[in-house]
Amino acid sequence: MKYLHTMVRVTDLDASVKFFCDVLGFTETRRYESEQGRFTLVFVATDESPDCPVELTYNWDPEEYDEGRNFGHLAYEVDNIYEYCQMLMDNGVTINRPPREGRMAFIRTPDNISIELLQKGDNLPVQEPWKSMENIGKW
């Protein structure tokens, strides 16, 4: 398993980028905007830890964050998303968001911290039972 990033939701993207980059000395490493999803992602990292970025997520539609929702999730890359999720289920872990498309799943820690699991490389071919699994709870 490889650590990928930590995500936090921000209400003022410009102020957050300025804080992380100008004040803390991080560097913006990449940016992604989704018209369909109505969000912008900005990844920032320190020169000393470029492989441990912080994902600043800005949702275009205003939202109040409670219950720690401004902290999004930890993200890890796995070699085989299906095998990994099966191992988790065999160990009593609920798959809150199954990897229906062979790419992404979400689970929660015992303290309800979300963990995103991402398939290393290309998506795996879509297959059952994952394809038909419903979301369970929040993720």
Side-chain angles (χ1 to χ4, degrees), residues 81-82 99-104 119 122-126:
I81 192 82
Y82 296 141
R100 288 183 287 274
E101 73 299 318
R103 173 88 186 135
M104 174 182 67
Q119 172 61 42
D122 294 334
N123 293 16
L124 296 180
V126 174

Side-chain angles (χ1 to χ4, degrees), residues 1 78 80-93 95 107 117 130:
M1 179 183 296
V78 297
N80 185 306
I81 192 82
Y82 296 141
E83 289 176 3
Y84 200 82
C85 285
Q86 186 61 57
M87 179 276 298
L88 292 171
M89 288 174 54
D90 291 348
N91 282 281
V93 175
I95 308 298
I107 61 171
L117 303 170
W130 313 105

